Amino acid sequence: MKKARKAIGILIFFCLTIPFWGTRPASAKTVIADGAQLLSTDELGTLEESCDRVEDRFDTSVYIIISQELGETDDYKSYVNQIAKDEKSPENLIILLLSVKSDDPFCFIKCYGNPKKNLTQKRCSSFAAQVEKYAAQDNAYDGLEQFVDNVLEYINRKPSLDGLQYHTMLHLLFAVLLGFLTLWILCGRRPAPVPAPQIDKDRSHRLGQMDLFMHSTSDSQSTY
């Protein structure tokens, strides 16, 4: 009986663990490699804490690589893919490569695993353009913090919802304008003037004669 129970327990454990076979170990962590030495020690610490929020909430690691050697004309995409395919890299990963090469700067973002479901390449390109703008103003730190904020905001938001807020505001604006137009029309419309009654002269003359006859008859009756 004990052997049977043990066998059943092993079978149940075996069935429960099947869905987790073949998954990579959870090794998500934040990596910030500032090869250009753009960030101060305090900025590095704060940025790492911000990236850790992504890991804690979404089990997704963020790699930020700042380079002054790679340019946009180099094969940087292969470089990023090699990092992602490394055995020690986590399955759910977001890599940001910021190049501050003097004659060839750029920013490139790519997602792997679960994040790429919602963080599409279109969204990543938009995030990268913001980072490039900040970096061009010698303010790469704020640009990277903005990038992390964007990740936290959009990693669970479906791309189909991107235009929903815009369309909703457009419809609301249209409804408000339509309401003002309706009120303007109603307030500006005056009631049509009532035409003055037209009196027939012949009929008026006859009514005058009848009134005179009735008045004289009444006077004659009063004398009797």
Side-chain angles (χ1 to χ4, degrees):
M1 181 65 67
K2 291 182 179 180
K3 291 182 179 180
R5 290 179 179 177
K6 185 176 181 180
I8 294 174
I10 293 174
L11 180 61
I12 294 174
F13 176 80
F14 178 84
C15 294
L16 291 175
T17 55
I18 285 177
F20 301 98
W21 290 8
T23 58
R24 301 168 67 177
S27 57
K29 59 182 179 180
T30 298
V31 175
I32 301 177
D34 184 10
Q37 298 182 348
L38 283 182
L39 308 177
S40 66
T41 303
D42 292 339
E43 289 174 341
L44 282 170
T46 305
L47 184 60
E48 185 174 355
E49 291 177 358
S50 299
C51 294
D52 286 342
R53 290 162 54 198
V54 180
E55 177 188 349
D56 294 338
R57 293 176 57 182
F58 304 105
D59 189 28
T60 297
S61 181
V62 177
Y63 286 6
I64 295 178
I65 305 166
I66 305 175
S67 172
Q68 58 184 2
E69 302 296 334
L70 284 174
E72 194 169 12
T73 56
D74 298 321
D75 191 13
Y76 60 88
K77 293 183 179 180
S78 296
Y79 172 70
V80 170
N81 286 330
Q82 287 178 2
I83 297 175
K85 293 179 180 179
D86 188 270
E87 294 181 356
K88 297 181 180 179
S89 297
E91 183 177 6
N92 300 324
L93 176 62
I94 303 173
I95 299 179
L96 180 147
L97 173 61
L98 174 61
S99 170
V100 291
K101 193 174 181 180
S102 59
D103 59 339
D104 201 13
F106 73 96
C107 181
F108 176 70
I109 302 172
K110 190 168 183 180
C111 300
Y112 301 86
N114 292 334
K116 68 180 182 180
K117 295 178 181 177
N118 292 328
L119 297 181
T120 61
Q121 196 57 48
K122 181 179 179 180
R123 281 180 168 178
C124 290
S125 297
S126 177
F127 300 163
Q130 291 181 357
V131 176
E132 289 178 357
K133 183 177 180 179
Y134 278 99
Q137 301 171 354
D138 295 328
N139 195 8
Y141 170 72
D142 286 344
L144 295 173
E145 284 286 359
Q146 181 63 52
F147 156 71
V148 177
D149 290 341
N150 288 335
V151 169
L152 290 169
E153 181 178 357
Y154 289 95
I155 193 171
N156 264 357
R157 182 185 296 183
K158 294 182 179 180
S160 58
L161 298 178
D162 282 355
L164 181 61
Q165 183 177 4
Y166 170 77
H167 290 302
T168 301
M169 293 298 296
L170 187 62
H171 291 163
L172 180 60
L173 178 61
F174 178 76
V176 171
L177 292 176
L178 183 62
F180 276 116
L181 180 61
T182 303
L183 289 175
W184 180 78
I185 293 175
L186 292 177
C187 293
R189 179 181 296 175
R190 297 180 180 179
V194 179
Q198 301 293 330
I199 301 177
D200 189 356
K201 293 183 179 180
D202 183 58
R203 183 183 178 189
S204 177
H205 178 69
R206 291 179 182 179
L207 289 174
Q209 289 180 344
M210 290 179 62
D211 182 63
L212 179 63
F213 174 75
M214 294 294 296
H215 181 70
S216 60
T217 303
S218 175
D219 290 342
S220 61
Q221 289 180 351
S222 60
T223 55
Y224 290 102

Short mmCIF file of all heavy atoms in Angstrom, two decimals, residues 2 7-8 12 24 33 40-43 73 92 105 116 119 129 153 161 164 205:
data_model
loop_
_atom_site.label_atom_id
_atom_site.label_comp_id
_atom_site.label_asym_id
_atom_site.label_seq_id
_atom_site.Cartn_x
_atom_site.Cartn_y
_atom_site.Cartn_z
N LYS A 2 1.96 1.24 0.81
CA LYS A 2 2.83 2.41 0.86
C LYS A 2 3.53 2.63 -0.48
O LYS A 2 3.69 3.76 -0.94
CB LYS A 2 3.87 2.23 1.96
CG LYS A 2 3.28 2.28 3.37
CD LYS A 2 4.39 2.14 4.40
CE LYS A 2 3.82 2.22 5.82
NZ LYS A 2 4.88 2.10 6.84
N ALA A 7 4.14 5.64 -5.52
CA ALA A 7 4.13 5.65 -6.98
C ALA A 7 3.13 6.67 -7.51
O ALA A 7 3.40 7.39 -8.48
CB ALA A 7 3.79 4.25 -7.50
N ILE A 8 1.97 6.76 -6.86
CA ILE A 8 0.97 7.74 -7.28
C ILE A 8 1.48 9.16 -7.06
O ILE A 8 1.29 10.06 -7.90
CB ILE A 8 -0.35 7.52 -6.51
CG1 ILE A 8 -0.96 6.17 -6.90
CG2 ILE A 8 -1.33 8.66 -6.78
CD1 ILE A 8 -2.18 5.80 -6.08
N ILE A 12 1.97 12.02 -9.95
CA ILE A 12 1.35 13.34 -9.90
C ILE A 12 2.40 14.44 -10.05
O ILE A 12 2.22 15.41 -10.79
CB ILE A 12 0.55 13.51 -8.59
CG1 ILE A 12 -0.64 12.54 -8.56
CG2 ILE A 12 0.08 14.95 -8.43
CD1 ILE A 12 -1.40 12.55 -7.26
N ARG A 24 14.22 27.81 -19.78
CA ARG A 24 15.54 28.21 -19.33
C ARG A 24 15.47 28.63 -17.87
O ARG A 24 14.43 29.08 -17.40
CB ARG A 24 16.06 29.36 -20.21
CG ARG A 24 16.15 28.98 -21.65
CD ARG A 24 16.37 30.19 -22.53
NE ARG A 24 17.68 30.78 -22.31
CZ ARG A 24 18.12 31.82 -23.00
NH1 ARG A 24 17.37 32.36 -23.94
NH2 ARG A 24 19.32 32.32 -22.76
N ALA A 33 26.14 48.46 -19.05
CA ALA A 33 27.54 48.54 -19.46
C ALA A 33 27.78 49.90 -20.10
O ALA A 33 27.43 50.13 -21.26
CB ALA A 33 27.88 47.41 -20.43
N SER A 40 27.18 59.04 -14.27
CA SER A 40 27.88 59.11 -13.00
C SER A 40 27.54 57.88 -12.16
O SER A 40 26.65 57.10 -12.49
CB SER A 40 27.48 60.38 -12.25
OG SER A 40 26.11 60.33 -11.88
N THR A 41 28.23 57.72 -11.04
CA THR A 41 27.98 56.57 -10.17
C THR A 41 26.56 56.61 -9.62
O THR A 41 25.88 55.58 -9.57
CB THR A 41 28.99 56.56 -9.01
OG1 THR A 41 30.33 56.53 -9.54
CG2 THR A 41 28.78 55.34 -8.12
N ASP A 42 26.10 57.79 -9.24
CA ASP A 42 24.72 57.91 -8.73
C ASP A 42 23.70 57.61 -9.81
O ASP A 42 22.67 56.96 -9.55
CB ASP A 42 24.49 59.32 -8.17
CG ASP A 42 25.31 59.58 -6.91
OD1 ASP A 42 25.73 58.60 -6.26
OD2 ASP A 42 25.54 60.76 -6.59
N GLU A 43 23.95 58.08 -11.01
CA GLU A 43 23.02 57.83 -12.11
C GLU A 43 22.97 56.35 -12.45
O GLU A 43 21.89 55.80 -12.72
CB GLU A 43 23.43 58.64 -13.34
CG GLU A 43 23.18 60.13 -13.18
CD GLU A 43 23.73 60.95 -14.34
OE1 GLU A 43 24.59 60.42 -15.08
OE2 GLU A 43 23.30 62.11 -14.51
N THR A 73 26.60 52.21 -39.03
CA THR A 73 27.06 51.50 -40.23
C THR A 73 27.69 50.15 -39.90
O THR A 73 27.98 49.38 -40.81
CB THR A 73 28.09 52.37 -40.98
OG1 THR A 73 29.17 52.71 -40.10
CG2 THR A 73 27.44 53.64 -41.50
N ASN A 92 13.47 36.20 -21.19
CA ASN A 92 12.72 37.46 -21.36
C ASN A 92 13.72 38.61 -21.19
O ASN A 92 14.20 38.88 -20.09
CB ASN A 92 11.61 37.56 -20.32
CG ASN A 92 10.62 36.42 -20.44
OD1 ASN A 92 10.30 35.96 -21.53
ND2 ASN A 92 10.13 35.93 -19.31
N PRO A 105 26.19 58.31 -34.38
CA PRO A 105 25.43 57.91 -33.18
C PRO A 105 24.08 57.31 -33.56
O PRO A 105 23.52 57.60 -34.61
CB PRO A 105 25.25 59.23 -32.44
CG PRO A 105 25.23 60.26 -33.52
CD PRO A 105 26.16 59.76 -34.60
N LYS A 116 8.34 40.97 -26.37
CA LYS A 116 8.15 41.34 -27.77
C LYS A 116 6.70 41.19 -28.24
O LYS A 116 6.36 41.65 -29.33
CB LYS A 116 9.07 40.53 -28.67
CG LYS A 116 8.77 39.06 -28.75
CD LYS A 116 9.77 38.36 -29.69
CE LYS A 116 9.47 36.88 -29.83
NZ LYS A 116 10.44 36.23 -30.73
N LEU A 119 5.77 44.92 -26.89
CA LEU A 119 6.77 45.92 -27.27
C LEU A 119 7.23 45.62 -28.69
O LEU A 119 8.30 45.06 -28.93
CB LEU A 119 7.94 45.89 -26.28
CG LEU A 119 7.60 46.26 -24.83
CD1 LEU A 119 8.84 46.23 -23.97
CD2 LEU A 119 6.93 47.62 -24.76
N ALA A 129 14.05 56.60 -30.61
CA ALA A 129 14.12 57.98 -31.11
C ALA A 129 14.12 58.97 -29.95
O ALA A 129 14.83 60.01 -30.01
CB ALA A 129 12.94 58.25 -32.04
N GLU A 153 5.22 51.14 -18.84
CA GLU A 153 3.87 51.54 -19.24
C GLU A 153 3.30 50.67 -20.35
O GLU A 153 2.10 50.36 -20.35
CB GLU A 153 3.89 53.00 -19.70
CG GLU A 153 2.53 53.52 -20.13
CD GLU A 153 2.55 54.98 -20.55
OE1 GLU A 153 3.63 55.61 -20.44
OE2 GLU A 153 1.50 55.50 -20.98
N LEU A 161 -4.16 49.18 -28.75
CA LEU A 161 -4.71 50.25 -27.93
C LEU A 161 -3.97 51.57 -28.11
O LEU A 161 -4.36 52.57 -27.53
CB LEU A 161 -4.65 49.85 -26.44
CG LEU A 161 -5.45 48.61 -26.04
CD1 LEU A 161 -5.26 48.30 -24.57
CD2 LEU A 161 -6.93 48.79 -26.34
N LEU A 164 -6.27 54.07 -29.62
CA LEU A 164 -7.60 54.16 -29.02
C LEU A 164 -7.80 55.48 -28.31
O LEU A 164 -8.83 56.14 -28.45
CB LEU A 164 -7.81 52.99 -28.06
CG LEU A 164 -9.18 52.94 -27.36
CD1 LEU A 164 -10.29 52.80 -28.38
CD2 LEU A 164 -9.24 51.78 -26.38
N HIS A 205 -67.75 96.69 -43.91
CA HIS A 205 -68.85 97.63 -44.10
C HIS A 205 -70.18 97.00 -43.70
O HIS A 205 -71.01 97.65 -43.05
CB HIS A 205 -68.89 98.07 -45.57
CG HIS A 205 -69.99 99.00 -45.90
ND1 HIS A 205 -70.04 100.33 -45.44
CD2 HIS A 205 -71.12 98.82 -46.66
CE1 HIS A 205 -71.14 100.90 -45.87
NE2 HIS A 205 -71.82 100.00 -46.63
#
